[in-house]
Structures are given as C-alpha cells and as structure tokens.
Amino acid sequence: MTSPLFSLLQIKSIILKNRIVISPMCQYSAEDGFANDWHLVHLGSRAVGGAGLIIQEATAVSPEGRISPEDLGIWNDEQIEKYKQITAFILSQNAFPGIQLAHAGRKASTSSPWQGNRKLTIDEGGWRTVAPSAERYHEDEAQPPLELDKAGINKVIADFKAAARRAHEAGYKVLEIHAAHGYLIHQFLSPLCNKRSDDYGGSFENRIRLLLEVIDAVKTEWPADLPLFVRISGTDWAEGGWNEDDSVELAKILKTKGIDVIDCSSGGAVSYQQIPVAPNYQVPIAERVKREAHICTGAVGLITEAKQAEDIVNEGKADLVFFAREALREPYIGLTFAHNLHDGHTIWPKQYERAKLED
Ligand SMILES: Cc1cc2nc3c(=O)[nH]c(=O)nc-3n(C[C@H](O)[C@H](O)[C@H](O)COP(=O)(O)O)c2cc1C
C-alpha cells in the first residue's frame, strides 16, 4: 500500500519519491560562507532518513545578505566545491538536494541564536544593512538600514543571478528563492517595510517588482527543466500588511513566470506581528493559494506527525509537506513515517536494512 505522503511527485524533470521536504534551516556554522562537514552530515543524515527533498538553509547571495556572520554563502566560486560533495551525497541516497537563496536585508548582521540573536555593530564583525526603506526592524537598533538605490537593487538582482549559476554548478536540483520571513524580498513586498515612492514601492505591482526581476535573472542561469520554488510569507499577521489575498494574486503571477511551487510560510516582516501559532496554522494559506492560483504548494509549520502530514496531502491542501524542527528531533523522518503509515514501498538504506521496522 502507498500512503499519499509517499506518492511520487514529478516537478519538471525530477520525480520526488515522496512529499516529505526538509525545510531550510540555518545552522549558523559556516566560516566566510563556506560549508563544512557539519552541513554535510546535517543534510546528509536527513537524506539517509528518507525525505524526498532536502532544502539547504538560507544561503546568502552576498556577504551583506547574511543573517549572521556564520551563514552559508554562495557569492564566490570557491564556495562551490564543498556544496558539490553535499549534493552528490544527497543524490546518492535517492533524494534531491535543494538550496534556498537569500538576502536578509535589514535583518542581516545579527548574532546566532546561541550568541544572543542581537544586532552586531561593525566593531563586533557586523556590517551596515540595506533595505527598501531606511526603517529599523526593532526600535532599539543603533542604526537604520541604508535605503537601496537603483544601483543597489541591480546588484541584488545580479547577486541572485550569479548565485543561481553557482547553485546549478554545485549540483542542486531545486532552487528556492527566499521571499519570506521579513528578509529583503519580503521587505519589498510588505507595505509595512516598503515606503518607497519609486518603481519599487507603493502599488502592489511595484512592491512585487524586485521579486519578479530576481526570478527573471535567476531563470537566465537556472535550467528550464529544474524546479523553481518561492517561499513566501502568506500574511504579515499585522494590520495593513501583506495578506493572503496578496499572496494569491502573487502566486497567479508567479505561475505565469514558471514558478513550480509556492512554499507557504508566514510572518517576519514586523516585530509587532500577532501569530496564532498552533498545529497546521499555516496550512490554510497553502490550501488557499493552491486552490485559487492553481499552483503546487508546500505546507509548513508545526506539522509533526505522519497522519497529520498524510491528511494534508490526501485532502489536497498542499502537494508537499515541509518539516523543520521535527526533522531536527527525528532525522530519519521519512523512514519512521513510512512505518507509521504502513507504506510498503519505502526502501531503507541497505546498511540499515536489518533495523527496518516491520509492520
Ligand atoms: C533552526 C531553524 C532554522 C531555520 N532557518 C530557516 C531558513 O534558513 N530559511 C527559512 O525559510 N526558514 C527557516 N526556518 C523556518 C523553518 O524552515 C520552518 O518554516 C519553521 O520552523 C516552521 O516549521 P516547523 O514547525 O516544522 O519547525 C528555520 C527554523 C529553525 C527551527
């Protein structure tokens, strides 16, 4: 018997063996943007664990686009080598390697969670951040970000383009553009962060312009037969902010641009957001975007159980289910869920075959 969670999904030229996706998760463990054995083992063990798609953490397209000094980066060719090892290993496990390309905008230059998650000054190894408008995320930040001018916007677009070329060279098969969580592209989307009066601010059409230009640039480097995802924040959870209607309208446009999957997260634009956190709390966003924009979606957020995930796919609410914290607790999430759902088709790594859980 095949559980819907373990049904195949073809997206462009790749066929995912199941609907389980490891959600991108920053590890704050890189030096100068370079990956190391931590990233190989972290991502590799989740490939061993049976997920169909493993998306690498927010990987910065430029040094100033990092959330923290320890973020992964893909702004120079030397960084590609270690990524090749990671992608080759994931592929060897019959899973697909994905990469999330990101620029943190005004939320850049912060310390890692275990170093206090606070804004870093230049003396502490931080840097001046950039944003659509010179407005702080937190009132207590010492300096506002610099407002990007047209040359700065063009650099961001060029950085995403070059990053896409490197991502392909490194062997990634899925590219996800990070347009969520209050990072740079989301800062442009949200009227709460974007106060510009030029072509990149004001109307909905202007606020989505940067994202569309990034997509166009990425597509000149990313093969047409490989999947392109966009992670959005479906709502800002704040009065006057980006909302679900905006997300549906955006998704319709992204579909015409050749985007394959909208990964539906939420929040992050403003510090005073009110998020009604509960199991499945973001699933209705994925469901609505899928139904109204007729595009594949990913559901994420407090999805922790096999049956819960199976129901989301079975009820047509999303095509893919992303797991973050549960996949940290249980790296073998694919193998365990296959057992829980009595899926008879999941193949365990031959090295682990003797431990296979039998029904
Ligand atoms: C340690 C950690 C790091 C994260 N880093 C990223 C990231 O790099 N990019 C991103 O889009 N989301 C990131 N997230 C958010 C997750 O991908 C996910 O959307 C969120 O945790 C909700 O899913 P969950 O309830 O399964 O954890 C991170 C979450 C965690 C716990």
Side-chain angles (χ1 to χ4, degrees):
M1 195 183 89
T2 300
S3 153
L5 190 63
F6 287 86
S7 57
L8 305 179
L9 181 66
Q10 176 153 13
I11 313 177
K12 289 191 175 137
S13 65
I14 74 167
I15 299 175
L16 298 176
K17 66 183 170 187
N18 59 46
R19 311 306 183 91
I20 299 173
V21 181
I22 304 299
S23 203
M25 277 181 280
C26 289
Q27 299 296 294
Y28 309 101
S29 300
E31 209 173 307
D32 295 326
F34 281 81
N36 55 48
D37 286 350
W38 174 264
H39 304 94
L40 172 66
V41 174
H42 163 67
L43 297 165
S45 48
R46 280 148 190 89
V48 171
L53 171 62
I54 290 117
I55 304 188
Q56 179 174 301
E57 69 188 72
T59 302
V61 299
S62 60
E64 65 277 13
R66 291 173 294 174
I67 302 167
S68 81
E70 293 82 24
D71 284 18
L72 284 180
I74 189 153
W75 62 79
N76 71 46
D77 288 350
E78 289 68 50
Q79 286 160 337
I80 295 172
E81 195 184 329
K82 189 70 182 180
Y83 293 140
K84 282 189 176 166
Q85 194 188 356
I86 293 172
T87 60
F89 182 79
I90 293 173
L91 286 165
S92 78
Q93 300 307 301
N94 191 25
F96 283 100
I99 184 168
Q100 186 185 52
L101 296 185
H103 189 305
R106 70 176 180 175
K107 286 176 127 181
S109 186
T110 59
S111 60
S112 66
W114 50 89
Q115 289 172 318
N117 217 352
R118 57 181 187 80
K119 214 74 188 160
L120 293 173
T121 63
I122 301 212
D123 289 346
E124 294 170 317
W127 55 93
R128 190 76 192 270
T129 62
V130 295
S133 305
E135 293 198 358
R136 298 167 171 85
Y137 177 69
H138 273 300
E139 282 168 13
D140 57 3
E141 288 169 15
Q143 270 188 322
L146 288 171
E147 179 178 315
L148 280 169
D149 59 14
K150 186 68 177 73
I153 289 175
N154 288 342
K155 178 184 181 303
V156 169
I157 295 166
D159 288 341
F160 270 94
K161 175 177 151 80
R165 171 184 62 76
R166 294 187 189 104
H168 178 232
E169 203 180 318
Y172 294 96
K173 303 298 177 199
V174 172
L175 189 154
E176 175 168 278
I177 295 170
H178 198 347
H181 301 169
Y183 296 119
L184 186 69
I185 296 177
H186 183 192
Q187 288 159 29
F188 273 84
L189 296 177
S190 172
L192 300 177
C193 318
N194 182 344
K195 306 288 169 60
R196 301 175 74 94
S197 54
D198 64 358
D199 288 353
Y200 292 88
S203 65
F204 174 84
E205 288 68 30
N206 282 354
R207 284 181 281 114
I208 68 170
R209 190 179 309 280
L210 175 66
L211 173 57
L212 300 189
E213 290 182 354
V214 164
I215 291 170
D216 286 343
V218 162
K219 279 168 60 181
T220 62
E221 300 289 349
W222 187 249
D225 66 339
L226 288 180
L228 265 177
F229 292 15
V230 173
R231 173 166 270 200
I232 61 165
S233 280
T235 168
D236 285 346
W237 302 114
E239 190 72 32
W242 181 266
N243 61 34
E244 281 187 28
D245 294 340
D246 294 327
S247 295
V248 170
E249 284 317 299
L250 176 66
K252 287 178 183 167
I253 295 166
L254 296 189
K255 189 179 177 189
T256 69
K257 288 263 172 197
I259 296 299
D260 302 288
V261 173
I262 309 288
D263 167 10
C264 296
S265 189
S266 74
V270 288
S271 54
Y272 52 87
Q273 63 188 7
Q274 297 289 330
I275 307 186
V277 178
N280 281 1
Y281 72 106
Q282 294 172 148
V283 174
I285 303 171
E287 183 181 6
R288 207 183 140 195
V289 168
K290 179 173 166 58
R291 197 180 55 235
E292 296 183 27
H294 308 289
I295 189 166
C296 285
T297 58
V300 66
L302 280 178
I303 304 165
T304 54
E305 306 209 345
K307 180 73 170 64
Q308 181 190 8
E310 183 183 57
D311 287 348
I312 291 167
V313 176
N314 204 24
E315 292 163 14
K317 294 178 173 167
D319 302 276
L320 294 168
V321 184
F322 287 55
F323 298 89
R325 287 162 293 181
E326 188 57 26
L328 294 184
R329 290 184 282 265
E330 171 53 293
Y332 304 116
I333 192 164
L335 306 179
T336 308
F337 279 13
H339 170 69
N340 294 350
L341 296 171
H342 310 289
D343 177 83
H345 294 88
T346 296
I347 300 164
W348 280 50
K350 59 180 181 292
Q351 298 89 337
Y352 288 9
E353 184 69 26
R354 288 171 65 190
K356 183 169 179 178
L357 299 158
E358 300 294 351
D359 289 331

